[in-house]
Amino acid sequence: LDFIHAIHYIFGAAMCLGRKEAEGWETYVRWITLCWEGQVGEVIDILTDACQERNVDLEAKIPISQAAENARV
């Protein structure tokens, strides 16, 4: 995974989980900073917890757009 793809996926996840655009942006900045600093595992843990709180099936083989819709706040 190159960093450009990480930016894309992290941004999408942050905006999906944020209740407001500003909240999503703040979350994105925090998460992408963690990735840049090499703390990808922490971001994965945060995203896993967020999905589990929303009852998203992490084993499902569905398109990312559908997974995002399922996780939307």
Side-chain angles (χ1 to χ4, degrees), residues 2 5 7-8 16-17 22 24-25 33 36 43 46 50 53 55-56 59-60 63 65 67 69-70 72-73:
D2 61 82
H5 282 95
I7 289 170
H8 172 77
C16 178
L17 297 177
W25 180 257
T33 300
W36 184 254
V43 176
I46 292 167
E53 289 170 5
N55 297 314
V56 174
E59 300 300 319
S65 59
E69 190 61 36
N70 293 348
R72 239 178 244 295
V73 177

Side-chain angles (χ1 to χ4, degrees), residues 29-68:
V29 170
R30 186 171 52 253
W31 290 351
I32 205 64
T33 300
L34 286 169
C35 289
W36 184 254
E37 293 172 343
Q39 299 178 50
V40 176
E42 185 172 338
V43 176
I44 291 170
D45 291 344
I46 292 167
L47 288 170
T48 299
D49 291 346
C51 287
Q52 290 173 339
E53 289 170 5
R54 290 162 177 79
N55 297 314
V56 174
D57 182 357
L58 298 174
E59 300 300 319
K61 303 295 184 202
I62 59 174
I64 191 70
S65 59
Q66 183 60 49

